[in-house]
Each structure stands twice: as C-alpha cells, then as structure tokens.
Amino acid sequence: MNQTPPSEHESRITIQGVEIALGFPDEFKFEWIGQRDVMDQLLAAWLVIDKNDIPLNPRLVGKPGVGKTTLAYAAAKQINKPVYIFQCTMDTRPEDLLITPVVDKSGGIRYVASALVTAMIRGGVCILDEANRMSEKSWASLAPLLDTRRYIESIVAGLKVSANPEFRICVTMNDDASTFEIPEYIHSRLQPQIFLDFPEAEEEKRILRENLPFLDENIMDYVVSFLQRAHASNENYTIRDGINIARYAAKRISSLKGKAEAKNLLRQAIIMTLGDEALAYISDEN
Ligand SMILES: Nc1ncnc2c1ncn2[C@@H]1O[C@H](COP(=O)(O)OP(=O)(O)OP(=O)(O)O)[C@@H](O)[C@H]1O
Ligand SMILES: [Mg+2]
C-alpha cells in the first residue's frame, strides 16, 4: 500500500488506479504565546523516537476560546509541516471525512480528498477541529487510522489509503454540553489528553497585544483585569471574548473621538459582548 507522496504543487494523485483531487493547506499567522508546557507536550506526542515507534494522536481539551486550535496550528508550524484543518460538525458524514465523490462538468465522477486524507497523503498535520461534534458513525471510519495500522478505507472510492510516515493528527474538543459522547474505542486511540487552562494575566495581556497590536494600553489592562476576575470565579469567559470586547471598545472609542468616556464604552462593550451577567466581574477600580 505504499504510495509515493505527490510534490507540493501537484493537486491530484492516483492511488490504486483511482485519481483523487487533493486539498490545499490552511495558511494563518497564528502564534502561540506563553504556556510552553502544553506546546512541549503536544510536540512530544508527535515525536517518533525509533524506527519501531509511531506518533501518538493527542487530544486538546478545554473551554471554548481557550486557544486549542491556535496551539495545534502553531505546533504544526513549529515543526515545519503544512496544516490541514477539518472542521467537524454534527452533520459530518464518514465520506466527508475521507473522500467525497463529486459530479464533474462532463457528468463523470471525480473523487476529492478531505483535509484529513490530503494531510495523510502529503505527510502534513491534520487538525480535526471540535471533533466531539461528530457522531459515532463518522468516528468509526477513523479507527484504523488512529492505531498502529495508520490507514483509512474509503468505501465510496473503493480504496485503502495509508498515512505517509510524516503524517500527524491532533484532535481538539470543547468541554461544552452540545456534543456527542465519544465511543470508548476512540477515546483510547486519542491519547494523550492535553488540558488547556486560562492564561496568567501577563500572558493574557501579551495575547491581546499580539491579536490587537493597535490597542491602547489602558483598554488592554481593563480587559485583562476583567478576564482574570472572571477566571478566578471559573466563569467561561475566554481570551476570545476579551479580544471581541477590546476590539469593539476600541472601535467605539475611535468613532466617538473623546465624546464619551472610555470606561463607559468599555463597560458597554462587555455588556454587549457577554450580557449583563458579566457586570459582576467589573471592578470599581477600573
Ligand atoms: N496562548 C495563545 N497565544 C496566542 N493566541 C491565543 C492564545 N490563546 C488564545 N489565543 C487567541 O484566542 C482566540 C481563541 O483561540 P482559539 O480559536 O484557538 O480557541 P479554541 O480553544 O480553539 O476555541 P473553540 O473551542 O471555540 O474552537 C484566538 O484569537 C487566538 O488567537
Ligand atoms: Mg477551536
């Protein structure tokens, strides 16, 4: 089942006589700031330390917006691999994950590889993002890929595709309630679990600065102290909420040009982003 990987510029490959169109990598400027430990854990899981060794399939777990997708992407870039993100949903079908038949202009069938299969063929990294939104049926098709066999079987295209030895996978999962239970045989194939927690104040400020480099220092301090108070109460507000609050407040402050007090606009941005409940975490000192 050995396949020669296509060159970076080739957009199709023939496997067992079947031509398959490949996808393109995702290109973002995601940088990982702070929390070195989780980055090291992820990179170690992907390492291959002997000719008889294989990489692990780590799972990043944490609240929405805590940085799971960003970490997986930044780690893949750190080891210079192309990254292919597959966004999982409740409607993801097994063939969407693997190879989909598409009717072409001449009425014939064309086979198109998913982000996952493209990463397997090219030897890149696949991020199965928000994977616990997927049903058990879709997970089942991944069982051989996630153990020592490292292949998938596409029923639709009638093919087995082996993963390139350079292929790595990382699965991200939210711990919110609107998701499926993952079957035990899949849980045991998605190890280790790496837990992401809220960053410290100083790191949170650096993350805000990285995302919004034009932001005024006072807005940044205000938002960070709001977030830290919310984290201390184990509230689900994350850096993504902080970025949205700060971005909106900065726009309002800029558009009103001194006609309203910045603090009031920040307060308003918090309410408009997170609702009245968030007022509990605004301190009088701000
Ligand atoms: N350590 C970090 N370094 C850089 N950016 C970060 C970090 N943590 C969070 N962010 C920023 O916070 C935002 C949310 O991060 P991300 O989308 O990775 O979270 P997530 O955990 O994948 O969320 P979801 O569960 O909703 O998919 C992004 O804008 C990201 O840039
Ligand atoms: Mg994400």
Side-chain angles (χ1 to χ4, degrees):
M1 274 200 303
N2 274 344
Q3 299 127 203
T4 324
S7 82
E8 218 178 293
H9 307 290
E10 272 178 286
S11 58
R12 47 195 68 228
I13 183 176
T14 302
I15 301 176
Q16 294 148 42
V18 181
E19 191 177 80
I20 300 172
L22 301 176
F24 293 93
D26 290 287
E27 290 296 342
F28 301 110
K29 279 210 184 108
F30 291 171
E31 295 254 3
W32 182 249
I33 294 166
Q35 300 196 55
R36 195 59 229 176
D37 197 33
V38 282
M39 171 68 92
D40 290 344
Q41 289 169 13
L42 176 52
L43 292 173
W46 279 341
L47 260 190
V48 171
I49 56 170
D50 183 85
K51 67 177 178 5
N52 295 313
D53 191 25
I54 53 168
L56 287 160
N57 311 313
R59 174 175 10 159
L60 301 184
V61 194
K63 294 195 159 73
V66 87
K68 299 179 293 296
T69 309
T70 308
L71 173 61
Y73 187 91
K77 282 291 167 185
Q78 178 143 340
I79 51 173
N80 295 317
K81 288 187 186 288
V83 189
Y84 300 84
I85 303 179
F86 187 99
Q87 187 66 44
C88 304
T89 73
M90 280 168 67
D91 300 319
T92 299
R93 300 164 304 169
E95 63 264 37
D96 301 333
L97 259 181
L98 305 178
I99 295 173
T100 332
V102 178
V103 179
D104 67 15
K105 279 188 218 131
S106 61
I109 298 276
R110 233 163 43 92
Y111 292 106
V112 180
S114 66
L116 170 65
V117 170
T118 301
M120 285 173 61
I121 292 171
R122 289 200 194 277
V125 171
C126 177
I127 303 174
L128 272 190
D129 215 11
E130 308 196 30
N132 51 333
R133 302 204 182 283
M134 260 188 333
S135 71
E136 177 161 3
K137 214 166 156 191
S138 295
W139 277 113
S141 63
L142 298 186
L145 177 65
L146 301 174
D147 60 32
T148 52
R149 292 172 285 173
R150 289 184 44 98
Y151 71 75
I152 56 100
E153 190 158 15
S154 162
I155 306 292
V156 175
L159 286 182
K160 266 188 186 173
V161 182
S162 293
N164 180 308
E166 292 301 315
F167 168 71
R168 302 290 185 270
I169 190 167
C170 175
V171 167
T172 80
M173 292 189 184
N174 274 335
D175 46 13
D176 63 11
S178 62
T179 47
F180 287 101
E181 260 309 301
I182 310 255
E184 195 45 49
Y185 72 95
I186 292 295
H187 265 299
S188 66
R189 285 168 163 83
L190 297 175
Q191 307 291 8
Q193 290 189 67
I194 300 171
F195 288 95
L196 266 76
D197 211 343
F198 298 124
E200 306 281 325
E202 185 273 333
E203 278 173 6
E204 207 152 44
K205 194 165 165 181
R206 278 166 51 211
I207 298 168
L208 272 183
R209 189 176 286 126
E210 164 74 23
N211 280 274
L212 307 169
F214 50 86
L215 207 66
D216 184 271
E217 192 79 11
N218 294 329
I219 304 181
M220 211 133 53
D221 288 337
Y222 185 102
V223 173
V224 169
S225 70
F226 164 79
L227 285 174
Q228 290 290 320
R229 242 174 270 123
H231 300 336
S233 304
N234 211 22
E235 183 63 70
N236 274 358
Y237 305 153
T238 64
I239 187 74
R240 181 186 290 133
D241 299 318
I243 292 170
N244 287 337
I245 292 165
R247 198 190 289 279
Y248 185 53
K251 288 181 198 300
R252 290 277 285 158
I253 292 165
S254 168
S255 72
L256 286 170
K257 294 194 183 66
K259 287 191 212 121
E261 222 194 311
K263 258 181 209 172
N264 288 337
L265 295 174
L266 271 158
R267 197 183 154 88
Q268 204 181 49
I270 288 177
I271 297 170
M272 290 175 70
T273 308
L274 297 170
D276 285 342
E277 315 86 84
L279 287 175
Y281 306 104
I282 299 179
S283 141
D284 294 336
E285 292 155 32
N286 282 136

